Amino acid sequence: YLAGWVHRGAASLFSVFLPSDCRLCALPLLNISRLPVCPECLNRIQPIEGNVCSICGERVLSSYLGCDEDGLRRCPVCRRIDHAFHRAIAYGSYDDGLRELIHLLKYNGVRPAAGVLGRMLSEILIGMVPSLEQPVLLLVPVPLFREKRRQRGFNQAELIAQAAIRASISSERFHLAPEVLRRVRATHSQIGLTSHQRRENVRGAFAVTHPEQVTGREVVLVDDVYTTGTTASECARVLRRAGAS
């Protein structure tokens, strides 16, 4: 009872002396939290629903609901392009609250957001476990170039992957390997580039520093945002060239 009273008292002092608003809905925060987002906004972030492409994970229109001969449902893009990765899975769509949560981490340095995003990612990892062929998979974050990492102070994909392992009930099935993949040169922002320009922008930008760690291994590549899959494909290409299965 005393602990509850102290907590309520501290929360009241917090709201009076340290007023703050939710960074998503702008309503006042009433509870002490390292993450400036109210519970209501977090609860509104839901997993992606509906029919999705079996390869890239994007929603597909009703005209593409049928499966191909191999039993996979492909969106128009994945019917034209062969990705280097086996499949991509996302927790949700990059819009509204989920986008703002990623921006809080990525651009505002609000590291507690990584814990929430990691718990979301852990749901995806747990769902993958029954289909795993190997007892332990490597979790490889998409790396930042050294100057970008020095400027930001962290790699958001690595923080999310760390949090996902901590939150996963099958954490022993995943091994974080942030040192395996390295970005060897800086790249421009992919925003506004054509598909050809995107591929050229990231071509040769990544290298596997420890091939012996990936040879014959299944790898889960982790990134905060998937748009066209160009970066993911380039990372997967060099990982498979290094021997990843």
Side-chain angles (χ1 to χ4, degrees):
Y1 174 79
L2 179 61
W5 181 85
V6 171
H7 178 78
R8 288 192 296 272
S12 299
L13 288 173
F14 170 79
S15 63
V16 173
F17 295 108
L18 298 172
S20 181
D21 295 332
C22 172
R23 300 287 286 273
L24 272 61
C25 69
L27 293 177
L29 291 173
L30 302 179
N31 297 309
I32 298 175
S33 174
R34 296 174 59 218
L35 179 65
V37 179
C38 68
E40 290 75 14
C41 283
L42 291 179
N43 290 335
R44 280 195 287 268
I45 301 176
Q46 295 296 319
I48 191 168
E49 296 180 342
N51 296 289
V52 298
C53 174
S54 302
I55 307 301
C56 71
E58 292 284 355
R59 288 192 182 94
V60 294
L61 300 176
S62 58
S63 55
Y64 292 94
L65 290 184
C67 296
D68 295 337
E69 294 181 357
D70 57 4
L72 300 178
R73 179 186 296 114
R74 289 177 172 82
C75 68
V77 174
C78 291
R79 289 186 175 183
R80 298 195 310 269
I81 299 175
D82 289 328
H83 298 290
F85 54 81
H86 175 64
R87 66 179 302 197
I89 311 174
Y91 175 84
S93 296
Y94 184 58
D95 53 25
D96 300 330
L98 186 55
R99 180 186 62 239
E100 297 305 317
L101 195 61
I102 291 173
H103 283 192
L104 280 177
L105 171 63
K106 194 170 182 177
Y107 303 119
N108 298 101
V110 182
R111 296 198 184 197
V116 178
L117 294 167
R119 288 194 292 273
M120 294 174 181
L121 177 61
S122 72
E123 295 185 24
I124 300 298
L125 298 180
I126 292 170
M128 291 172 53
V129 167
S131 64
L132 302 182
E133 296 182 2
Q134 298 181 352
V136 179
L137 272 76
L138 292 181
L139 246 63
V140 177
V142 173
L144 296 177
F145 190 56
R146 59 179 180 273
E147 293 181 1
K148 173 65 73 172
R149 175 158 188 153
R150 190 181 307 116
Q151 177 186 14
R152 185 169 291 166
F154 58 87
N155 176 2
Q156 68 277 2
E158 184 176 340
L159 292 183
I160 294 171
Q162 289 173 346
I165 292 178
R166 289 195 300 267
S168 176
I169 60 175
S170 303
S171 58
E172 71 280 356
R173 302 292 304 271
F174 302 97
H175 172 67
L176 183 63
E179 74 288 346
V180 162
L181 195 60
R182 184 165 64 95
R183 193 182 291 248
V184 296
R185 66 172 177 83
T187 55
H188 301 292
S189 171
Q190 299 277 63
I191 299 175
L193 300 182
T194 65
S195 58
H196 174 73
Q197 290 171 331
R198 285 172 179 263
R199 289 192 296 270
E200 290 301 313
N201 187 36
V202 298
R203 190 177 301 279
F206 302 95
V208 175
T209 56
H210 299 282
E212 71 281 0
Q213 294 189 30
V214 302
T215 301
R217 301 288 300 276
E218 288 182 298
V219 175
V220 177
L221 186 71
V222 179
D223 207 357
D224 56 327
V225 178
Y226 175 107
T227 48
T228 64
T230 306
T231 299
S233 282
E234 181 64 14
C235 290
R237 186 178 67 83
V238 298
L239 284 165
R240 290 195 126 162
R241 180 183 293 174
S245 63

